[in-house]
Amino acid sequence: METSAASPYQTELSRIARRQWLAFAVVLLFALIGALHAAGLYGRASALAGLEEQGRTDANLKVALLRAVLERPRALPFLLSRDRDLADALTTTDPAPRATLDRKLEELVAGTSAAVIYVMDAAGMTISASNWREPTSFVGNDYSFRPYFFRAMQDGTAEHFALGSVSKRPGLYISHRIGPPSAPLGVVVVKMEFDQLEQDWHETQRPSYVVDPGHVVLITSIPSWRFMTTQPLPAENLAAIRESLQFGEAPLLPLPFMPTADDNIIRVVEPGGGSENYLRISVPVATTPWRFEYLVPVTEAVAAGRRQAQLLALLLIGVATIASAIWLRRRQTALAGAVRDQAAREELERRVVERTRDLSLARDRLEAEIVDHHRTETQLQAVQQDLVQANRLAILGQVAAGVAHEINQPLATIRAYADNAKVFLGRGRTEPVAENLDHIAGLTDRIATITEDLKALARKGRSGEEPVNLRAALDGAVLLLRSRFTGRLDRLIIAPFPAGLQVMGNRLRLEQVFINLFQNALEAVAEKADGRVDVTVEESGTEIAMTVADNGPGLSDTILASLFEPFNTSKEAGLGLGLVIVKDIVSDYGGRLEVETDTQGARFRVHLRKAAP
């Protein structure tokens, strides 16, 4: 009956769930498409912004290099215009001063970055040039038509970029008038060529070029682009430029650039036939009317930016999808649970009358169980009180056993000093007797300290720390072991180490550590004829590590697993408290205890904090 009552609800819930999942899939599809599109736009914009920032930095560096190249020769025409040799050559027809000037200009070119230096008289005729030895010498050529001549004659100085009419090589002509404005003698010209600069730009494999105010490319990393234009020139401008012979017979065609939807991005047909989208960055060249333009390829960077943004979008959509699916599933599960609860409530109401009698019987049984429960609880409380008392007695037993274990060595040494004192008293020697009594007093103090430390072990206390001389603590431990291991202490070999090493701790407690470790190691090699215990000290940084290594049988896996638990021992007469005390003391002073074992023996390493110098 319960199944038949819930069946209509189950059918309707299944139908609703299918519609919800279908709507969820449709929304997810549209969200995915929209997110990928938006991520692509964002990735493209971010990539272009990064490219522009980096490209503008590179462009500024190239412009700085261009300005450095320009500034070097600019002072040369000015200085030469005041040279007496130039005035002498212009004011006489004697060939000797001109020949001298030729050689002087030739030497200047060799020592500067200029391509050629030459001097013209007031009529524009070249009377002397640094290339006077070459077939393409400028001597005897009339350059009065060149702007750099008549502007210098008029204004005193001029700069003009043009194609050489004789050399057929492009360059920047920097000129300066010789003589006063009222009676000029001529003009000195320095020509700069930019071959090395263009080669440096070409090695970056990114198109770079300089354009003048007339939109003509002057300097470029792509030779085939020289004297092309960044935009079509009006017919009258084109005719005037060709008539001036500034760029020779160059056709002055537009660069192979095609605009795109983005103003800063152009499609460039590269030499060889390929094409690529570039981000065009334009930077003015200070002290000149030129502009430097730098082209940065964008295809790969934009594709990478889109991929990264879309991958991030996919990740976020994936997380959102999983979270939404989980929420929708939980909602459907909760709705199904509510339907089942409703059906259960209806069934419960139908059967409530039938269950009344059963509930009455159950109530009677429950009352009987409650009585039994109270009785059991009373017994449990009594058992718990017995366990608490037993635990207290066990702790007292552990402390008592620890006291017995730790004071054995001091007591044995006290007995030895007392026997020696008797012998010395019998001989009438009081000075050694007083010394032995001092030792006995010190050992009783040690026993008191051990007792306090063992009680501190039970309540996890800690005594104060101070710098302790490591050599003194080791010697004290060896002294206490001498009576116990008479004739066998030569097996304990302490390697030399600096006498001034100090560690943080308490000397008596550190002696307890060394006594327990040395005693365990000596007992482990007691049955071996070649038994030995090696003690080494290593210093590293702020830590000192002491290693106690024996060549005994080593530790079994059973003992090693519970090595630092109380009453765990492999000795028949042992209490199993020594290593517990050792580890507790070392930990109290910020150190640590490590153990290694194999068939070659056991190695205990004590790490202690080094005291500040």
Side-chain angles (χ1 to χ4, degrees):
M1 294 181 68
E2 183 177 353
T3 303
S4 62
S7 180
Y9 295 106
Q10 296 286 354
T11 303
E12 182 63 22
L13 282 176
S14 298
R15 188 180 300 111
I16 294 173
R18 284 194 297 271
R19 288 200 298 267
Q20 288 177 340
W21 285 114
L22 179 60
F24 179 78
V26 171
V27 171
L28 175 62
L29 178 62
F30 280 103
L32 183 61
I33 294 173
L36 290 178
H37 178 68
L41 294 177
Y42 172 79
R44 181 179 185 275
S46 178
L48 289 177
L51 284 176
E52 183 171 4
E53 181 180 358
Q54 181 61 42
R56 196 161 294 279
T57 300
D58 295 342
N60 287 331
L61 291 175
K62 292 181 183 297
V63 168
L65 177 60
L66 173 60
R67 288 189 59 194
V69 172
L70 287 172
E71 292 301 327
R72 282 199 299 266
R74 274 180 167 170
L76 190 56
F78 172 77
L79 297 174
L80 288 174
S81 69
R82 283 156 174 74
D83 192 298
R84 186 64 189 171
D85 291 342
L86 272 71
D88 291 344
L90 287 169
T91 56
T92 182
T93 58
D94 185 2
R98 296 185 178 184
T100 301
L101 182 58
D102 285 340
R103 289 189 292 273
K104 182 173 185 176
L105 296 180
E106 185 179 31
E107 292 176 359
L108 282 174
V109 165
T112 64
S113 59
V116 62
I117 306 174
Y118 54 101
V119 178
M120 296 177 289
D121 60 17
M125 185 66 67
T126 304
I127 65 164
S128 181
S130 61
N131 61 355
W132 62 279
R133 298 178 187 271
E134 301 174 9
T136 57
S137 171
F138 293 175
V139 177
N141 290 336
D142 183 4
Y143 294 115
S144 59
F145 66 94
R146 286 291 197 182
Y148 58 77
F149 172 75
F150 56 78
R151 288 178 187 168
M153 290 290 289
Q154 179 181 351
D155 301 329
T157 183
E159 291 185 3
H160 182 64
F161 194 98
L163 183 69
S165 58
V166 176
S167 65
K168 303 302 180 182
R169 295 178 59 81
L172 177 64
Y173 295 84
I174 306 172
S175 59
H176 202 285
R177 182 178 58 215
I178 303 171
S182 57
L185 300 177
V187 173
V188 59
V189 182
V190 175
K191 181 184 179 182
M192 282 186 61
E193 294 179 357
F194 300 91
D195 295 348
Q196 183 59 47
L197 181 65
E198 290 179 334
Q199 180 62 31
D200 293 340
W201 287 357
H202 179 73
E203 290 176 357
T204 63
Q205 299 182 349
R206 290 187 176 182
S208 309
Y209 54 89
V210 174
V211 296
D212 65 6
H215 309 292
V216 178
V217 175
L218 305 179
I219 308 168
T220 174
S221 62
I222 301 178
S224 61
W225 287 6
R226 183 175 291 110
F227 301 149
M228 298 186 76
T229 63
T230 55
Q231 63 185 47
L233 300 180
E236 58 273 16
N237 293 0
L238 188 60
I241 293 174
R242 286 178 176 168
E243 184 178 353
S244 69
L245 298 179
Q246 180 180 0
F247 304 118
E249 298 179 357
L252 300 175
L253 297 175
L255 286 168
F257 295 173
M258 293 174 286
T260 64
D262 194 323
D263 292 340
N264 292 333
I265 297 178
I266 56 174
R267 186 76 176 172
V268 178
V269 178
E270 301 172 332
S275 62
E276 173 68 270
N277 284 347
Y278 286 89
L279 176 66
R280 178 161 56 184
I281 297 173
S282 181
V283 178
V285 181
T287 72
T288 73
W290 301 343
R291 291 192 66 82
F292 174 77
E293 294 193 355
Y294 187 52
L295 303 185
V296 182
V298 301
T299 303
E300 292 185 2
V302 167
R306 281 177 172 168
R307 282 196 302 271
Q308 291 178 357
Q310 288 174 343
L311 284 175
L312 180 60
L314 283 176
L315 178 62
L316 294 176
I317 287 292
V319 172
T321 300
I322 294 173
S324 300
I326 291 173
W327 174 81
L328 182 58
R329 179 60 182 169
R330 287 183 175 177
R331 185 173 181 276
Q332 293 175 348
T333 301
L335 184 59
V339 170
R340 287 193 298 270
D341 291 343
Q342 178 65 26
R345 282 194 296 272
E346 293 175 356
E347 180 66 15
L348 181 61
E349 291 174 358
R350 187 182 62 82
R351 299 181 58 184
V352 68
V353 176
E354 298 177 2
R355 296 291 300 273
T356 301
R357 183 179 63 256
D358 296 336
L359 290 174
S360 298
L361 295 175
R363 182 194 59 194
D364 296 339
R365 290 195 298 271
L366 182 59
E367 290 177 352
E369 289 175 0
I370 289 174
V371 173
D372 293 338
H373 174 73
H374 286 311
R375 185 182 305 112
T376 303
E377 185 176 2
T378 302
Q379 294 174 351
L380 179 59
Q381 290 175 352
V383 171
Q384 286 177 340
Q385 292 174 358
D386 292 341
L387 288 175
V388 169
Q389 182 63 23
N391 185 52
R392 290 174 180 170
L393 293 176
I395 292 174
L396 290 176
Q398 290 180 17
V399 173
V403 171
H405 177 275
E406 286 300 309
I407 67 177
N408 274 340
Q409 291 299 333
L411 285 176
T413 307
I414 289 173
R415 178 60 182 267
Y417 280 129
D419 292 341
N420 288 339
K422 287 181 180 180
V423 173
F424 286 127
L425 281 175
R427 296 176 181 176
R429 297 175 60 187
T430 59
E431 182 177 348
V433 172
E435 183 179 349
N436 285 347
L437 290 176
D438 288 339
H439 286 312
I440 291 172
L443 290 172
T444 57
D445 291 339
R446 184 184 306 277
I447 291 173
T449 301
I450 291 171
T451 306
E452 290 299 321
D453 287 343
L454 287 171
K455 289 190 289 183
L457 173 65
R459 62 175 180 269
K460 297 296 180 185
R462 175 181 176 179
S463 58
E465 63 179 18
E466 60 184 1
V468 175
N469 185 283
L470 186 59
R471 168 59 68 182
L474 286 174
D475 291 344
V478 172
L479 178 65
L480 290 175
L481 289 172
R482 186 169 291 124
S483 64
R484 170 74 184 276
F485 295 96
T486 302
R488 290 183 292 162
L489 207 55
D490 57 345
R491 296 188 176 193
L492 181 65
I493 302 170
I494 301 177
F497 62 89
L501 285 183
Q502 290 187 324
V503 296
M504 296 304 297
N506 177 277
R507 176 175 172 177
L508 296 180
R509 300 193 75 195
L510 291 179
E511 286 183 8
Q512 283 182 260
V513 171
F514 303 150
I515 288 171
N516 276 289
L517 294 178
F518 294 167
Q519 177 176 299
N520 288 345
L522 289 169
E523 290 176 350
V525 300
E527 302 299 327
K528 295 192 64 172
D530 60 344
R532 61 181 288 156
V533 178
D534 291 298
V535 181
T536 58
V537 176
E538 298 177 2
E539 180 181 6
S540 61
T542 60
E543 188 177 78
I544 292 176
M546 186 193 76
T547 303
V548 181
D550 64 67
N551 62 347
L555 301 172
S556 67
D557 293 341
T558 303
I559 294 298
L560 189 61
S562 54
L563 188 63
F564 299 106
E565 295 179 6
F567 307 109
N568 173 48
T569 180
S570 59
K571 307 172 189 176
E572 292 182 2
L575 294 175
L577 291 174
L579 289 178
V580 177
I581 295 171
V582 167
K583 184 177 182 182
D584 202 43
I585 292 173
V586 171
S587 298
D588 273 354
Y589 297 117
R592 64 185 187 280
L593 178 63
E594 298 173 350
V595 60
E596 298 175 359
T597 184
D598 51 31
T599 56
Q600 304 299 318
R603 292 166 296 282
F604 287 84
R605 186 171 292 106
V606 179
H607 296 268
L608 296 170
R609 291 185 295 120
K610 186 165 62 175

